[in-house]
Amino acid sequence: QVQLVESGGGLVQAGGSLRLSCAASGRTFSSYVMGWFRQAPEKEREFVAQISSRGSSTAYADSVKGRFTISRDNAKNTVYLQMNSLKPEDTAVYYCAARTIGTMAYDYWGQGTQVTVSS
């Protein structure tokens, strides 16, 4: 099992930047694909980005491509989401998630961190 704790959310003006962090417990962090998701008020949770277990491959939602960057440090059991050129529509609760290599479903989720972008 793995426990995930997000941090780094907050209030920022449009055009600004934030970096989210997700710290994972356990010794097998490098065996998990990690992802970031978000959920805005009255909307369904949506995929934002994911990174392979060793960090060699990434994928992004079209809405964040070119603005967000996902990365990981397996030595620190941490995954990051660098968010630049933030827009009001990026306002949401951001969740970190982990899934075992070879599976499709994310099994483990953090508690979320609020990101609010003011116009």
Side-chain angles (χ1 to χ4, degrees):
Q1 287 214 358
V2 61
Q3 293 183 326
L4 305 172
V5 179
E6 302 97 334
S7 61
L11 174 64
V12 64
Q13 288 189 333
S17 298
L18 281 175
R19 188 175 83 153
L20 305 182
S21 299
C22 173
S25 65
R27 301 180 181 178
T28 59
F29 177 71
S30 61
S31 66
Y32 291 97
V33 174
M34 299 300 297
W36 285 98
F37 293 76
R38 67 187 182 186
Q39 187 167 18
E42 301 182 356
K43 292 189 176 181
E44 292 189 355
R45 185 169 58 195
E46 64 176 359
F47 168 80
V48 175
Q50 77 174 24
I51 188 166
S52 60
S53 59
R54 299 200 180 276
S56 58
S57 176
T58 58
Y60 297 91
D62 287 344
S63 58
V64 306
K65 275 181 184 176
R67 299 188 300 121
F68 290 11
T69 302
I70 188 171
S71 62
R72 67 191 295 163
D73 185 337
N74 285 349
K76 295 183 178 180
N77 281 14
T78 302
V79 62
Y80 306 97
L81 186 68
Q82 178 67 44
M83 305 185 295
N84 299 329
S85 302
L86 282 161
K87 305 175 181 180
E89 51 264 44
D90 294 318
T91 295
V93 178
Y94 283 71
Y95 297 91
C96 171
R99 64 178 172 88
T100 305
I101 297 172
T103 66
M104 296 302 294
Y106 280 85
D107 300 309
Y108 306 102
W109 295 83
Q111 83 289 349
T113 186
Q114 176 70 47
V115 171
T116 303
V117 184
S118 63
S119 56

